[in-house]
Amino acid sequence: MSEQQTAGTAGETTPTGRLYGVGLGPGDPSLMTVRAVEVIREADVVAYHSARHGRSIARSIAARHLRPEHIEEKLVYPVTTETTDHPGGYRGAMEEFYAEAAARLAAHLDAGRTVAVLAEGDPMFYGSYMHMHKRLADRYPTEVIPGVTSVSAAAARLGTPLAEGEEVLTILPGTLPEEELTARLAATDAAVVMKLGRTFPTVRRAVTEAGRLPEARYVERATMDGERTAPLADVDEQSVPYFSVAVLPSRIASPP
């Protein structure tokens, strides 16, 4: 996108700021890319999402690269999985939140500030950044910095190929209806199911119904503190956090 300008005082113009969606990788700060570090250090504004408790995993990953001069914009979700009294329900509350968050970032961009929006994993892969991108990228110069996904991190931690040769890899959100999960898991060669947490009992039933439980693996907080791997069948459903995935790896045997 070409450089845009906004009107300033006395007929002058002020260049608009540039928007960056910065992929931070799966959690280990050492897995951030060089480009991600450069953009964060040079940004005027660093924005990141958090739940209402105020803690941000994205900020904690990038913390060593933040400067006192940074303007920090904390984008606090009004709801996560709980109910809401918003007249539009959960979807309405989130749409209002994204619109307000985008307006806050637009104010910085209009003032000529560079804005880096932090995103765990990759910004365009089930990430919150994409909601800002859809609302701002057509109005401001924008660059997306890709990051290592949790899917790649999980495979690396398991030491197991995800897919080989002509195999088909399917990535699924655990929030799908159980019947659809079961059908898709039964039809594919390899799969990763994301967004576990409260969806874990449904996901494990779907894996079982698809006849895939013996091969299924579980990875929790890949590359983060508290990382854990286990056979999916052995996992206590009461202990599963959101940042975990179920993996049905490649069925092709590794060469001897």
Side-chain angles (χ1 to χ4, degrees), residues 140-250:
Y140 303 98
T142 302
E143 181 182 341
V144 178
I145 314 301
V148 177
T149 69
S150 59
V151 172
S152 299
R157 288 312 199 214
L158 290 173
T160 303
L162 276 177
E164 298 183 49
E166 304 303 317
E167 287 185 313
V168 174
L169 170 66
T170 301
I171 298 175
L172 302 163
T175 49
L176 287 175
E178 184 175 335
E179 296 78 8
E180 184 171 354
L181 277 172
T182 301
R184 289 180 179 270
L185 290 170
T188 194
D189 299 309
V192 176
V193 186
M194 305 180 63
K195 304 183 181 183
L196 296 186
R198 64 190 176 87
T199 72
F200 183 78
T202 299
V203 171
R204 183 156 61 185
R205 286 196 302 270
V207 172
T208 303
E209 287 298 313
R212 309 292 295 270
L213 189 61
E215 68 198 85
R217 300 283 292 171
Y218 170 84
V219 184
E220 175 180 316
R221 297 188 173 94
T223 80
M224 301 181 187
D225 292 338
E227 174 186 296
R228 179 166 69 111
T229 64
L232 192 73
D234 296 347
V235 176
D236 177 3
E237 66 183 44
Q238 301 300 320
S239 67
V240 177
Y242 181 82
F243 284 98
S244 56
V245 297
V247 181
L248 279 63
S250 168

Side-chain angles (χ1 to χ4, degrees), residues 56 98 108 125 128 140 184 214 255:
S56 169
Y98 290 133
H108 289 295
F125 184 73
S128 296
Y140 303 98
R184 289 180 179 270

Side-chain angles (χ1 to χ4, degrees), residues 113-137:
R113 302 186 187 104
T114 297
V115 177
V117 182
L118 307 184
E120 301 103 307
D122 182 271
M124 296 301 204
F125 184 73
Y126 290 114
S128 296
Y129 164 75
M130 66 182 65
H131 298 286
M132 300 298 96
H133 188 88
K134 289 187 289 187
R135 289 166 173 81
L136 298 171

Side-chain angles (χ1 to χ4, degrees), residues 1 4 9 12 14-16 59 68 82 109 129 135 175 179 187 195 198 202 233 241 243 254:
M1 180 180 293
Q4 303 178 45
T9 59
E12 298 177 350
T14 301
T16 61
R59 188 190 188 283
E82 65 270 25
L109 294 164
Y129 164 75
R135 289 166 173 81
T175 49
E179 296 78 8
K195 304 183 181 183
R198 64 190 176 87
T202 299
F243 284 98
S254 299

Side-chain angles (χ1 to χ4, degrees), residues 44-60:
D44 301 304
V45 180
V46 176
Y48 45 85
H49 294 79
S50 78
R52 286 189 291 183
H53 53 56
R55 298 184 299 277
S56 169
I57 292 175
R59 188 190 188 283
S60 69

